[in-house]
Amino acid sequence: MKLRIGYDLVYDCPQPTPMMLTLNVHFTRVSDVEVPDHLVTDPRVPLKAYRDAFGNWCSRIVAPAGRLRLRADAVIYDTGEPEEVVRVAEQHEVQDLPDECLVFLLGSRYCETDRLSEVAWQLFGQSPPGAARVQAICDYVHRRIVFDYEHARSTRTAAEAHDECRGVCRDYAHLAVAFCRCMNIPARYCTGYLSDIGAPPPYGPMDFAAWMEVYVGGRWCTFDPRNNTPRIGRVLMARGRDAADVAISNTFGPNVLSTFTVCAEEIAEPDDPAGLGHAAAGGSRQ
């Protein structure tokens, strides 16, 4: 199966504004890319690529005063199958974890392990360790938070999402990540594209999605507390401690994001012109 992915963003800047952008497909999917997601700017500006501390592909630009359009239009291969469900995987003792996992046990900007530790142990202390405990956390977070895009707030933390019982995909991910870390399970925040293939309608406007990866059974495994069901067409862009590490843009000056469009949809094959091989792919606020 092929997916068309991309975005169209327009920023209005009253003055020249340096930007750091995290908008590329993650390097672990490079072998699946048929048409690269090259960042195109209008007007054209010099662009410098770099790898951040977590290995994500990023870009640096200086937006000129006025209107700047950022866009990409890419094609990527996907299996077309629902993603793996990890039901059995051991939880490692902290002293046995690889060194690179340790940072994902610590509290971070949006994942306040110090505020949530007591709650986490009360809720999940008796659950079986490992993947079963992670799934128990996802089940709880999925039930606890009501998806509410109208009340999205970029400053909402995991503890606040738990208290307010509402949020968007990043809030689900932050709360689940924080609970996992409280239970001594390394967890990292992920962002990327997520198609609506196989998901029931209605579909809303597309957005970038957030989920998490946890280290159990000697590997990093994907869990999605927002959707809490296997999905088709998940494309990783970036990983970090929380949303602060993987923001699509960090801007160093006043600006307004006036246009925001994201696409992740199946491309019909020649022998399937109507795209009937899968449920219709639309966009949704993940």
Side-chain angles (χ1 to χ4, degrees), residues 172-251:
Y172 288 79
H174 282 150
L175 183 55
V177 164
F179 277 152
C180 286
R181 293 175 184 173
C182 290
M183 303 306 295
N184 299 331
I185 303 171
R188 58 193 185 190
Y189 181 97
C190 300
T191 187
Y193 298 93
L194 182 58
S195 79
D196 283 321
I197 298 170
Y203 306 125
M206 176 62 79
D207 198 348
F208 291 117
W211 61 91
M212 69 175 181
E213 293 175 347
V214 301
Y215 192 83
V216 289
R219 63 190 179 105
W220 289 99
C221 302
T222 297
F223 286 84
D224 183 349
R226 157 69 175 110
N227 296 290
N228 209 29
T229 188
R231 295 293 295 264
I232 299 170
R234 190 185 301 272
V235 180
L236 178 69
M237 291 170 63
R239 302 173 173 132
R241 292 166 297 185
D242 58 31
D245 290 331
V246 299
I248 61 170
S249 65
N250 285 286
T251 58

Side-chain angles (χ1 to χ4, degrees), residues 110-126:
Y110 291 104
C111 301
E112 319 100 310
T113 53
D114 53 343
R115 293 183 59 188
L116 290 167
S117 182
E118 184 176 353
V119 174
W121 280 96
Q122 289 174 351
L123 290 171
F124 311 112
Q126 301 304 313

Side-chain angles (χ1 to χ4, degrees), residues 58-166:
C58 307
S59 304
R60 296 177 62 179
I61 65 171
V62 177
R67 175 157 292 195
L68 174 70
R69 183 184 182 194
L70 307 175
R71 60 184 176 87
D73 192 3
V75 176
I76 191 167
Y77 288 99
D78 192 82
T79 65
E81 299 296 326
E83 57 200 353
E84 176 189 14
V85 177
V86 180
R87 301 190 185 279
V88 179
E90 68 173 320
Q91 179 172 335
H92 302 276
E93 298 294 335
V94 172
Q95 61 269 27
D96 298 328
L97 288 168
D99 294 344
E100 60 269 21
C101 292
L102 299 182
V103 68
F104 298 109
L105 286 175
L106 306 178
S108 56
R109 163 70 178 86
Y110 291 104
C111 301
E112 319 100 310
T113 53
D114 53 343
R115 293 183 59 188
L116 290 167
S117 182
E118 184 176 353
V119 174
W121 280 96
Q122 289 174 351
L123 290 171
F124 311 112
Q126 301 304 313
S127 60
R133 178 169 285 167
V134 176
Q135 188 57 59
I137 290 171
C138 289
D139 292 343
Y140 175 84
V141 172
H142 185 75
R143 295 191 305 266
R144 177 80 179 185
I145 299 180
V146 175
F147 187 85
D148 188 353
Y149 189 79
E150 296 302 316
H151 291 89
R153 188 173 75 246
S154 63
T155 58
R156 182 182 286 122
T157 67
E160 290 170 343
H162 186 263
D163 292 343
E164 297 172 18
C165 298
R166 64 186 182 186

